[in-house]
PDB file of all heavy atoms in Angstrom:
ATOM      1  N   THR V 298    -108.461 -37.601 147.093  1.00 78.00           N
ATOM      2  CA  THR V 298    -107.185 -37.195 146.551  1.00 78.00           C
ATOM      3  C   THR V 298    -107.035 -35.667 146.683  1.00 78.00           C
ATOM      4  O   THR V 298    -105.879 -35.139 146.604  1.00 78.00           O
ATOM      5  CB  THR V 298    -107.132 -37.409 145.032  1.00 78.00           C
ATOM      6  OG1 THR V 298    -108.156 -36.769 144.340  1.00 78.00           O
ATOM      7  CG2 THR V 298    -107.420 -38.933 144.743  1.00 78.00           C
ATOM      8  N   GLY V 299    -108.131 -34.909 146.789  1.00 75.00           N
ATOM      9  CA  GLY V 299    -108.059 -33.478 146.717  1.00 75.00           C
ATOM     10  C   GLY V 299    -107.784 -32.828 145.429  1.00 75.00           C
ATOM     11  O   GLY V 299    -107.630 -31.699 145.320  1.00 75.00           O
ATOM     12  N   ARG V 300    -107.678 -33.749 144.417  1.00 75.00           N
ATOM     13  CA  ARG V 300    -107.435 -33.263 143.009  1.00 75.00           C
ATOM     14  C   ARG V 300    -108.673 -32.465 142.607  1.00 75.00           C
ATOM     15  O   ARG V 300    -109.790 -32.962 142.651  1.00 75.00           O
ATOM     16  CB  ARG V 300    -107.078 -34.424 142.070  1.00 75.00           C
ATOM     17  CG  ARG V 300    -106.710 -34.087 140.744  1.00 75.00           C
ATOM     18  CD  ARG V 300    -106.175 -35.204 139.896  1.00 75.00           C
ATOM     19  NE  ARG V 300    -106.907 -36.428 140.019  1.00 75.00           N
ATOM     20  CZ  ARG V 300    -107.788 -36.884 139.116  1.00 75.00           C
ATOM     21  NH1 ARG V 300    -107.860 -36.238 137.944  1.00 75.00           N
ATOM     22  NH2 ARG V 300    -108.469 -37.959 139.220  1.00 75.00           N
ATOM     23  N   PRO V 301    -108.423 -31.221 142.090  1.00 73.00           N
ATOM     24  CA  PRO V 301    -109.578 -30.416 141.747  1.00 73.00           C
ATOM     25  C   PRO V 301    -110.476 -30.978 140.538  1.00 73.00           C
ATOM     26  O   PRO V 301    -109.859 -31.723 139.724  1.00 73.00           O
ATOM     27  CB  PRO V 301    -109.024 -29.096 141.451  1.00 73.00           C
ATOM     28  CG  PRO V 301    -107.658 -29.261 141.082  1.00 73.00           C
ATOM     29  CD  PRO V 301    -107.295 -30.492 141.858  1.00 73.00           C
ATOM     30  N   MET V 302    -111.682 -30.533 140.409  1.00 69.00           N
ATOM     31  CA  MET V 302    -112.503 -30.879 139.182  1.00 69.00           C
ATOM     32  C   MET V 302    -111.737 -30.329 137.932  1.00 69.00           C
ATOM     33  O   MET V 302    -110.854 -29.468 138.048  1.00 69.00           O
ATOM     34  CB  MET V 302    -113.863 -30.230 139.254  1.00 69.00           C
ATOM     35  CG  MET V 302    -114.728 -30.896 140.326  1.00 69.00           C
ATOM     36  SD  MET V 302    -115.118 -32.675 139.992  1.00 69.00           S
ATOM     37  CE  MET V 302    -116.105 -32.494 138.492  1.00 69.00           C
ATOM     38  N   VAL V 303    -112.257 -30.893 136.797  1.00 67.00           N
ATOM     39  CA  VAL V 303    -111.644 -30.429 135.565  1.00 67.00           C
ATOM     40  C   VAL V 303    -111.963 -29.007 135.252  1.00 67.00           C
ATOM     41  O   VAL V 303    -112.881 -28.465 135.752  1.00 67.00           O
ATOM     42  CB  VAL V 303    -112.164 -31.370 134.422  1.00 67.00           C
ATOM     43  CG1 VAL V 303    -111.701 -32.750 134.574  1.00 67.00           C
ATOM     44  CG2 VAL V 303    -113.671 -31.291 134.314  1.00 67.00           C
ATOM     45  N   ASP V 304    -111.181 -28.405 134.251  1.00 62.00           N
ATOM     46  CA  ASP V 304    -111.497 -27.015 133.895  1.00 62.00           C
ATOM     47  C   ASP V 304    -112.518 -26.977 132.780  1.00 62.00           C
ATOM     48  O   ASP V 304    -112.906 -28.016 132.250  1.00 62.00           O
ATOM     49  CB  ASP V 304    -110.222 -26.204 133.557  1.00 62.00           C
ATOM     50  CG  ASP V 304    -109.457 -26.732 132.355  1.00 62.00           C
ATOM     51  OD1 ASP V 304    -110.015 -27.517 131.572  1.00 62.00           O
ATOM     52  OD2 ASP V 304    -108.256 -26.561 132.364  1.00 62.00           O
ATOM     53  N   ALA V 305    -112.702 -25.822 132.241  1.00 57.00           N
ATOM     54  CA  ALA V 305    -113.808 -25.746 131.131  1.00 57.00           C
ATOM     55  C   ALA V 305    -113.490 -26.400 129.823  1.00 57.00           C
ATOM     56  O   ALA V 305    -114.304 -26.778 129.077  1.00 57.00           O
ATOM     57  CB  ALA V 305    -113.948 -24.201 130.838  1.00 57.00           C
ATOM     58  N   ASP V 306    -112.150 -26.627 129.571  1.00 60.00           N
ATOM     59  CA  ASP V 306    -111.793 -27.255 128.324  1.00 60.00           C
ATOM     60  C   ASP V 306    -111.661 -28.817 128.410  1.00 60.00           C
ATOM     61  O   ASP V 306    -111.432 -29.409 127.493  1.00 60.00           O
ATOM     62  CB  ASP V 306    -110.424 -26.675 127.871  1.00 60.00           C
ATOM     63  CG  ASP V 306    -110.539 -25.189 127.520  1.00 60.00           C
ATOM     64  OD1 ASP V 306    -111.703 -24.863 126.985  1.00 60.00           O
ATOM     65  OD2 ASP V 306    -109.671 -24.399 127.693  1.00 60.00           O
ATOM     66  N   ALA V 307    -111.705 -29.253 129.616  1.00 61.00           N
ATOM     67  CA  ALA V 307    -111.479 -30.705 129.894  1.00 61.00           C
ATOM     68  C   ALA V 307    -112.730 -31.579 129.607  1.00 61.00           C
ATOM     69  O   ALA V 307    -113.924 -30.955 129.514  1.00 61.00           O
ATOM     70  CB  ALA V 307    -111.026 -31.011 131.269  1.00 61.00           C
ATOM     71  N   ARG V 308    -112.662 -32.793 129.409  1.00 62.00           N
ATOM     72  CA  ARG V 308    -113.787 -33.694 129.174  1.00 62.00           C
ATOM     73  C   ARG V 308    -113.703 -34.789 130.216  1.00 62.00           C
ATOM     74  O   ARG V 308    -112.539 -35.232 130.655  1.00 62.00           O
ATOM     75  CB  ARG V 308    -113.693 -34.262 127.832  1.00 62.00           C
ATOM     76  CG  ARG V 308    -113.893 -33.253 126.707  1.00 62.00           C
ATOM     77  CD  ARG V 308    -113.788 -33.946 125.379  1.00 62.00           C
ATOM     78  NE  ARG V 308    -113.786 -32.877 124.259  1.00 62.00           N
ATOM     79  CZ  ARG V 308    -114.840 -32.585 123.609  1.00 62.00           C
ATOM     80  NH1 ARG V 308    -116.040 -33.088 123.873  1.00 62.00           N
ATOM     81  NH2 ARG V 308    -114.806 -31.657 122.727  1.00 62.00           N
ATOM     82  N   PHE V 309    -114.846 -35.318 130.621  1.00 62.00           N
ATOM     83  CA  PHE V 309    -114.885 -36.464 131.504  1.00 62.00           C
ATOM     84  C   PHE V 309    -116.039 -37.253 131.246  1.00 62.00           C
ATOM     85  O   PHE V 309    -117.021 -36.821 130.787  1.00 62.00           O
ATOM     86  CB  PHE V 309    -114.821 -36.012 133.051  1.00 62.00           C
ATOM     87  CG  PHE V 309    -115.932 -35.089 133.463  1.00 62.00           C
ATOM     88  CD1 PHE V 309    -117.037 -35.745 134.106  1.00 62.00           C
ATOM     89  CD2 PHE V 309    -115.894 -33.754 133.239  1.00 62.00           C
ATOM     90  CE1 PHE V 309    -118.204 -34.886 134.476  1.00 62.00           C
ATOM     91  CE2 PHE V 309    -117.016 -32.928 133.576  1.00 62.00           C
ATOM     92  CZ  PHE V 309    -118.114 -33.525 134.204  1.00 62.00           C
ATOM     93  N   ARG V 310    -115.947 -38.553 131.623  1.00 63.00           N
ATOM     94  CA  ARG V 310    -116.933 -39.599 131.366  1.00 63.00           C
ATOM     95  C   ARG V 310    -118.108 -39.562 132.252  1.00 63.00           C
ATOM     96  O   ARG V 310    -117.876 -39.493 133.517  1.00 63.00           O
ATOM     97  CB  ARG V 310    -116.284 -40.903 131.261  1.00 63.00           C
ATOM     98  CG  ARG V 310    -117.168 -42.109 130.902  1.00 63.00           C
ATOM     99  CD  ARG V 310    -116.263 -43.289 130.761  1.00 63.00           C
ATOM    100  NE  ARG V 310    -116.950 -44.513 131.118  1.00 63.00           N
ATOM    101  CZ  ARG V 310    -117.761 -45.150 130.309  1.00 63.00           C
ATOM    102  NH1 ARG V 310    -117.946 -44.686 129.122  1.00 63.00           N
ATOM    103  NH2 ARG V 310    -118.379 -46.220 130.668  1.00 63.00           N
ATOM    104  N   LEU V 311    -119.407 -39.484 131.756  1.00 64.00           N
ATOM    105  CA  LEU V 311    -120.485 -39.467 132.608  1.00 64.00           C
ATOM    106  C   LEU V 311    -121.094 -40.838 132.829  1.00 64.00           C
ATOM    107  O   LEU V 311    -121.929 -41.066 133.586  1.00 64.00           O
ATOM    108  CB  LEU V 311    -121.617 -38.494 132.063  1.00 64.00           C
ATOM    109  CG  LEU V 311    -121.340 -37.066 132.294  1.00 64.00           C
ATOM    110  CD1 LEU V 311    -122.421 -36.267 131.514  1.00 64.00           C
ATOM    111  CD2 LEU V 311    -121.358 -36.735 133.764  1.00 64.00           C
ATOM    112  N   ALA V 312    -120.773 -41.764 131.842  1.00 67.00           N
ATOM    113  CA  ALA V 312    -121.166 -43.156 131.891  1.00 67.00           C
ATOM    114  C   ALA V 312    -122.722 -43.241 131.876  1.00 67.00           C
ATOM    115  O   ALA V 312    -123.377 -42.525 131.003  1.00 67.00           O
ATOM    116  CB  ALA V 312    -120.581 -43.818 133.014  1.00 67.00           C
ATOM    117  N   GLY V 313    -123.282 -43.896 132.741  1.00 73.00           N
ATOM    118  CA  GLY V 313    -124.693 -44.199 132.815  1.00 73.00           C
ATOM    119  C   GLY V 313    -125.584 -42.934 133.131  1.00 73.00           C
ATOM    120  O   GLY V 313    -126.745 -42.850 132.904  1.00 73.00           O
ATOM    121  N   ASP V 314    -124.943 -41.924 133.702  1.00 76.00           N
ATOM    122  CA  ASP V 314    -125.737 -40.701 134.037  1.00 76.00           C
ATOM    123  C   ASP V 314    -126.111 -39.918 132.704  1.00 76.00           C
ATOM    124  O   ASP V 314    -127.101 -39.162 132.769  1.00 76.00           O
ATOM    125  CB  ASP V 314    -124.763 -39.769 134.799  1.00 76.00           C
ATOM    126  CG  ASP V 314    -124.501 -40.202 136.096  1.00 76.00           C
ATOM    127  OD1 ASP V 314    -125.219 -41.012 136.666  1.00 76.00           O
ATOM    128  OD2 ASP V 314    -123.358 -39.897 136.680  1.00 76.00           O
ATOM    129  N   THR V 315    -125.608 -40.177 131.599  1.00 79.00           N
ATOM    130  CA  THR V 315    -126.112 -39.533 130.338  1.00 79.00           C
ATOM    131  C   THR V 315    -127.484 -39.874 130.037  1.00 79.00           C
ATOM    132  O   THR V 315    -128.159 -39.030 129.366  1.00 79.00           O
ATOM    133  CB  THR V 315    -125.169 -39.877 129.160  1.00 79.00           C
ATOM    134  OG1 THR V 315    -125.054 -41.265 128.958  1.00 79.00           O
ATOM    135  CG2 THR V 315    -123.647 -39.217 129.356  1.00 79.00           C
ATOM    136  N   LYS V 316    -127.962 -41.045 130.281  1.00 85.00           N
ATOM    137  CA  LYS V 316    -129.360 -41.475 130.046  1.00 85.00           C
ATOM    138  C   LYS V 316    -130.248 -40.548 130.660  1.00 85.00           C
ATOM    139  O   LYS V 316    -131.269 -40.031 130.036  1.00 85.00           O
ATOM    140  CB  LYS V 316    -129.505 -42.860 130.403  1.00 85.00           C
ATOM    141  CG  LYS V 316    -128.757 -43.967 129.695  1.00 85.00           C
ATOM    142  CD  LYS V 316    -129.171 -45.275 130.173  1.00 85.00           C
ATOM    143  CE  LYS V 316    -128.019 -46.244 130.237  1.00 85.00           C
ATOM    144  NZ  LYS V 316    -127.010 -46.200 131.218  1.00 85.00           N
ATOM    145  N   ALA V 317    -130.128 -40.145 131.923  1.00 86.00           N
ATOM    146  CA  ALA V 317    -130.976 -39.226 132.600  1.00 86.00           C
ATOM    147  C   ALA V 317    -130.964 -37.904 132.020  1.00 86.00           C
ATOM    148  O   ALA V 317    -132.055 -37.215 131.831  1.00 86.00           O
ATOM    149  CB  ALA V 317    -130.695 -39.118 134.124  1.00 86.00           C
ATOM    150  N   PHE V 318    -129.845 -37.404 131.577  1.00 85.00           N
ATOM    151  CA  PHE V 318    -129.736 -36.042 130.947  1.00 85.00           C
ATOM    152  C   PHE V 318    -130.412 -36.068 129.668  1.00 85.00           C
ATOM    153  O   PHE V 318    -131.162 -35.143 129.300  1.00 85.00           O
ATOM    154  CB  PHE V 318    -128.190 -35.626 130.790  1.00 85.00           C
ATOM    155  CG  PHE V 318    -127.626 -35.266 132.146  1.00 85.00           C
ATOM    156  CD1 PHE V 318    -126.545 -36.059 132.626  1.00 85.00           C
ATOM    157  CD2 PHE V 318    -127.910 -34.099 132.793  1.00 85.00           C
ATOM    158  CE1 PHE V 318    -125.904 -35.694 133.720  1.00 85.00           C
ATOM    159  CE2 PHE V 318    -127.352 -33.757 133.862  1.00 85.00           C
ATOM    160  CZ  PHE V 318    -126.350 -34.553 134.462  1.00 85.00           C
ATOM    161  N   THR V 319    -130.144 -37.157 128.881  1.00 87.00           N
ATOM    162  CA  THR V 319    -130.811 -37.132 127.554  1.00 87.00           C
ATOM    163  C   THR V 319    -132.280 -37.274 127.724  1.00 87.00           C
ATOM    164  O   THR V 319    -133.149 -36.523 126.935  1.00 87.00           O
ATOM    165  CB  THR V 319    -130.261 -38.434 126.750  1.00 87.00           C
ATOM    166  OG1 THR V 319    -128.803 -38.296 126.687  1.00 87.00           O
ATOM    167  CG2 THR V 319    -130.873 -38.508 125.387  1.00 87.00           C
ATOM    168  N   ALA V 320    -132.770 -38.139 128.575  1.00 92.00           N
ATOM    169  CA  ALA V 320    -134.253 -38.316 128.749  1.00 92.00           C
ATOM    170  C   ALA V 320    -134.893 -36.958 129.216  1.00 92.00           C
ATOM    171  O   ALA V 320    -135.970 -36.621 128.666  1.00 92.00           O
ATOM    172  CB  ALA V 320    -134.548 -39.358 129.732  1.00 92.00           C
ATOM    173  N   THR V 321    -134.192 -36.291 130.020  1.00 92.00           N
ATOM    174  CA  THR V 321    -134.718 -34.886 130.487  1.00 92.00           C
ATOM    175  C   THR V 321    -134.794 -33.951 129.309  1.00 92.00           C
ATOM    176  O   THR V 321    -135.875 -33.206 129.132  1.00 92.00           O
ATOM    177  CB  THR V 321    -133.901 -34.327 131.623  1.00 92.00           C
ATOM    178  OG1 THR V 321    -133.919 -35.260 132.725  1.00 92.00           O
ATOM    179  CG2 THR V 321    -134.387 -33.019 132.164  1.00 92.00           C
ATOM    180  N   ALA V 322    -133.779 -33.927 128.570  1.00 93.00           N
ATOM    181  CA  ALA V 322    -133.731 -33.031 127.353  1.00 93.00           C
ATOM    182  C   ALA V 322    -134.908 -33.368 126.335  1.00 93.00           C
ATOM    183  O   ALA V 322    -135.611 -32.524 125.856  1.00 93.00           O
ATOM    184  CB  ALA V 322    -132.432 -33.104 126.687  1.00 93.00           C
ATOM    185  N   VAL V 323    -135.086 -34.672 126.150  1.00 95.00           N
ATOM    186  CA  VAL V 323    -136.139 -35.128 125.212  1.00 95.00           C
ATOM    187  C   VAL V 323    -137.519 -34.805 125.777  1.00 95.00           C
ATOM    188  O   VAL V 323    -138.409 -34.330 125.061  1.00 95.00           O
ATOM    189  CB  VAL V 323    -135.919 -36.545 124.872  1.00 95.00           C
ATOM    190  CG1 VAL V 323    -137.162 -37.132 124.168  1.00 95.00           C
ATOM    191  CG2 VAL V 323    -134.679 -36.940 124.068  1.00 95.00           C
ATOM    192  N   MET V 324    -137.679 -35.047 127.051  1.00 96.00           N
ATOM    193  CA  MET V 324    -138.933 -34.700 127.635  1.00 96.00           C
ATOM    194  C   MET V 324    -139.299 -33.204 127.638  1.00 96.00           C
ATOM    195  O   MET V 324    -140.443 -32.798 127.540  1.00 96.00           O
ATOM    196  CB  MET V 324    -139.117 -35.235 129.113  1.00 96.00           C
ATOM    197  CG  MET V 324    -139.152 -36.805 129.095  1.00 96.00           C
ATOM    198  SD  MET V 324    -140.384 -37.553 128.105  1.00 96.00           S
ATOM    199  CE  MET V 324    -141.819 -36.893 128.993  1.00 96.00           C
ATOM    200  N   ARG V 325    -138.272 -32.372 127.677  1.00 95.00           N
ATOM    201  CA  ARG V 325    -138.520 -30.947 127.541  1.00 95.00           C
ATOM    202  C   ARG V 325    -139.021 -30.675 126.124  1.00 95.00           C
ATOM    203  O   ARG V 325    -139.919 -29.798 125.954  1.00 95.00           O
ATOM    204  CB  ARG V 325    -137.256 -30.153 127.837  1.00 95.00           C
ATOM    205  CG  ARG V 325    -136.932 -30.136 129.319  1.00 95.00           C
ATOM    206  CD  ARG V 325    -135.757 -29.302 129.703  1.00 95.00           C
ATOM    207  NE  ARG V 325    -136.212 -27.945 129.465  1.00 95.00           N
ATOM    208  CZ  ARG V 325    -135.476 -26.891 129.878  1.00 95.00           C
ATOM    209  NH1 ARG V 325    -134.274 -27.099 130.446  1.00 95.00           N
ATOM    210  NH2 ARG V 325    -135.828 -25.660 129.608  1.00 95.00           N
ATOM    211  N   LEU V 326    -138.453 -31.313 125.156  1.00 96.00           N
ATOM    212  CA  LEU V 326    -138.857 -31.170 123.773  1.00 96.00           C
ATOM    213  C   LEU V 326    -140.316 -31.651 123.536  1.00 96.00           C
ATOM    214  O   LEU V 326    -141.077 -31.038 122.818  1.00 96.00           O
ATOM    215  CB  LEU V 326    -137.898 -31.823 122.793  1.00 96.00           C
ATOM    216  CG  LEU V 326    -136.557 -31.236 122.774  1.00 96.00           C
ATOM    217  CD1 LEU V 326    -135.574 -32.165 121.979  1.00 96.00           C
ATOM    218  CD2 LEU V 326    -136.571 -29.792 122.104  1.00 96.00           C
ATOM    219  N   VAL V 327    -140.611 -32.756 124.300  1.00 96.00           N
ATOM    220  CA  VAL V 327    -141.964 -33.211 124.205  1.00 96.00           C
ATOM    221  C   VAL V 327    -142.968 -32.225 124.831  1.00 96.00           C
ATOM    222  O   VAL V 327    -143.985 -31.840 124.273  1.00 96.00           O
ATOM    223  CB  VAL V 327    -142.179 -34.589 124.943  1.00 96.00           C
ATOM    224  CG1 VAL V 327    -143.618 -34.935 125.196  1.00 96.00           C
ATOM    225  CG2 VAL V 327    -141.356 -35.666 124.221  1.00 96.00           C
ATOM    226  N   ALA V 328    -142.544 -31.580 125.852  1.00 96.00           N
ATOM    227  CA  ALA V 328    -143.423 -30.618 126.565  1.00 96.00           C
ATOM    228  C   ALA V 328    -143.613 -29.354 125.663  1.00 96.00           C
ATOM    229  O   ALA V 328    -144.651 -28.647 125.692  1.00 96.00           O
ATOM    230  CB  ALA V 328    -142.809 -30.124 127.878  1.00 96.00           C
ATOM    231  N   GLU V 329    -142.648 -28.966 124.801  1.00 97.00           N
ATOM    232  CA  GLU V 329    -142.710 -27.880 123.955  1.00 97.00           C
ATOM    233  C   GLU V 329    -143.395 -28.226 122.726  1.00 97.00           C
ATOM    234  O   GLU V 329    -143.562 -27.421 121.796  1.00 97.00           O
ATOM    235  CB  GLU V 329    -141.314 -27.419 123.653  1.00 97.00           C
ATOM    236  CG  GLU V 329    -140.537 -26.769 124.837  1.00 97.00           C
ATOM    237  CD  GLU V 329    -139.077 -26.512 124.572  1.00 97.00           C
ATOM    238  OE1 GLU V 329    -138.661 -26.516 123.449  1.00 97.00           O
ATOM    239  OE2 GLU V 329    -138.488 -26.237 125.621  1.00 97.00           O
ATOM    240  N   GLY V 330    -143.757 -29.494 122.486  1.00 96.00           N
ATOM    241  CA  GLY V 330    -144.452 -29.910 121.278  1.00 96.00           C
ATOM    242  C   GLY V 330    -143.477 -30.185 120.139  1.00 96.00           C
ATOM    243  O   GLY V 330    -144.015 -30.372 118.991  1.00 96.00           O
ATOM    244  N   LYS V 331    -142.229 -30.296 120.259  1.00 96.00           N
ATOM    245  CA  LYS V 331    -141.251 -30.449 119.241  1.00 96.00           C
ATOM    246  C   LYS V 331    -140.987 -32.000 118.951  1.00 96.00           C
ATOM    247  O   LYS V 331    -140.476 -32.279 117.881  1.00 96.00           O
ATOM    248  CB  LYS V 331    -139.986 -29.738 119.545  1.00 96.00           C
ATOM    249  CG  LYS V 331    -140.183 -28.252 119.665  1.00 96.00           C
ATOM    250  CD  LYS V 331    -139.028 -27.504 119.984  1.00 96.00           C
ATOM    251  CE  LYS V 331    -139.169 -25.949 120.098  1.00 96.00           C
ATOM    252  NZ  LYS V 331    -138.002 -25.298 120.507  1.00 96.00           N
ATOM    253  N   VAL V 332    -141.246 -32.783 119.893  1.00 96.00           N
ATOM    254  CA  VAL V 332    -141.122 -34.235 119.824  1.00 96.00           C
ATOM    255  C   VAL V 332    -142.322 -34.917 120.304  1.00 96.00           C
ATOM    256  O   VAL V 332    -142.872 -34.607 121.290  1.00 96.00           O
ATOM    257  CB  VAL V 332    -139.806 -34.691 120.605  1.00 96.00           C
ATOM    258  CG1 VAL V 332    -139.731 -36.145 120.623  1.00 96.00           C
ATOM    259  CG2 VAL V 332    -138.602 -34.102 120.079  1.00 96.00           C
ATOM    260  N   ARG V 333    -142.748 -36.026 119.588  1.00 97.00           N
ATOM    261  CA  ARG V 333    -143.829 -36.851 120.081  1.00 97.00           C
ATOM    262  C   ARG V 333    -143.328 -38.205 120.525  1.00 97.00           C
ATOM    263  O   ARG V 333    -142.517 -38.856 119.865  1.00 97.00           O
ATOM    264  CB  ARG V 333    -144.827 -37.096 118.876  1.00 97.00           C
ATOM    265  CG  ARG V 333    -145.498 -35.817 118.520  1.00 97.00           C
ATOM    266  CD  ARG V 333    -146.635 -36.036 117.358  1.00 97.00           C
ATOM    267  NE  ARG V 333    -146.701 -37.434 116.969  1.00 97.00           N
ATOM    268  CZ  ARG V 333    -146.445 -37.823 115.674  1.00 97.00           C
ATOM    269  NH1 ARG V 333    -146.181 -36.998 114.755  1.00 97.00           N
ATOM    270  NH2 ARG V 333    -146.545 -39.076 115.420  1.00 97.00           N
ATOM    271  N   LEU V 334    -143.714 -38.569 121.679  1.00 96.00           N
ATOM    272  CA  LEU V 334    -143.251 -39.776 122.359  1.00 96.00           C
ATOM    273  C   LEU V 334    -143.573 -41.036 121.527  1.00 96.00           C
ATOM    274  O   LEU V 334    -142.785 -41.940 121.423  1.00 96.00           O
ATOM    275  CB  LEU V 334    -143.846 -40.026 123.739  1.00 96.00           C
ATOM    276  CG  LEU V 334    -143.125 -39.162 124.798  1.00 96.00           C
ATOM    277  CD1 LEU V 334    -143.870 -39.358 126.129  1.00 96.00           C
ATOM    278  CD2 LEU V 334    -141.694 -39.428 124.966  1.00 96.00           C
ATOM    279  N   ASP V 335    -144.736 -41.128 120.921  1.00 97.00           N
ATOM    280  CA  ASP V 335    -145.164 -42.301 120.125  1.00 97.00           C
ATOM    281  C   ASP V 335    -144.896 -42.224 118.661  1.00 97.00           C
ATOM    282  O   ASP V 335    -145.306 -43.051 117.831  1.00 97.00           O
ATOM    283  CB  ASP V 335    -146.636 -42.588 120.383  1.00 97.00           C
ATOM    284  CG  ASP V 335    -146.883 -42.908 121.845  1.00 97.00           C
ATOM    285  OD1 ASP V 335    -146.137 -43.807 122.420  1.00 97.00           O
ATOM    286  OD2 ASP V 335    -147.793 -42.376 122.525  1.00 97.00           O
ATOM    287  N   ALA V 336    -144.071 -41.224 118.239  1.00 97.00           N
ATOM    288  CA  ALA V 336    -143.616 -41.077 116.841  1.00 97.00           C
ATOM    289  C   ALA V 336    -142.463 -42.036 116.541  1.00 97.00           C
ATOM    290  O   ALA V 336    -141.688 -42.388 117.523  1.00 97.00           O
ATOM    291  CB  ALA V 336    -143.222 -39.678 116.626  1.00 97.00           C
ATOM    292  N   PRO V 337    -142.366 -42.537 115.384  1.00 96.00           N
ATOM    293  CA  PRO V 337    -141.182 -43.278 115.046  1.00 96.00           C
ATOM    294  C   PRO V 337    -139.881 -42.498 115.223  1.00 96.00           C
ATOM    295  O   PRO V 337    -139.822 -41.357 114.737  1.00 96.00           O
ATOM    296  CB  PRO V 337    -141.425 -43.553 113.499  1.00 96.00           C
ATOM    297  CG  PRO V 337    -142.780 -43.446 113.245  1.00 96.00           C
ATOM    298  CD  PRO V 337    -143.210 -42.268 114.338  1.00 96.00           C
ATOM    299  N   ALA V 338    -138.915 -43.112 115.928  1.00 95.00           N
ATOM    300  CA  ALA V 338    -137.677 -42.403 116.230  1.00 95.00           C
ATOM    301  C   ALA V 338    -136.879 -42.003 115.044  1.00 95.00           C
ATOM    302  O   ALA V 338    -136.101 -41.072 115.082  1.00 95.00           O
ATOM    303  CB  ALA V 338    -136.782 -43.297 117.097  1.00 95.00           C
ATOM    304  N   GLY V 339    -137.154 -42.707 113.964  1.00 94.00           N
ATOM    305  CA  GLY V 339    -136.463 -42.370 112.663  1.00 94.00           C
ATOM    306  C   GLY V 339    -136.873 -41.004 112.131  1.00 94.00           C
ATOM    307  O   GLY V 339    -136.003 -40.441 111.358  1.00 94.00           O
ATOM    308  N   GLY V 340    -137.830 -40.340 112.573  1.00 95.00           N
ATOM    309  CA  GLY V 340    -138.125 -39.056 112.258  1.00 95.00           C
ATOM    310  C   GLY V 340    -137.198 -37.995 112.865  1.00 95.00           C
ATOM    311  O   GLY V 340    -137.056 -36.937 112.467  1.00 95.00           O
TER     312      GLY V 340
END
């Protein structure tokens, strides 16, 4: 289409890609010792 990407104020759906972003962020917290993988998620 040639339609440009959204600007800074726009939102767009990432769909299944959000799982990878979330997992990466959580694993960074694990590496920093702020989250434990085998801890109950309720914490």
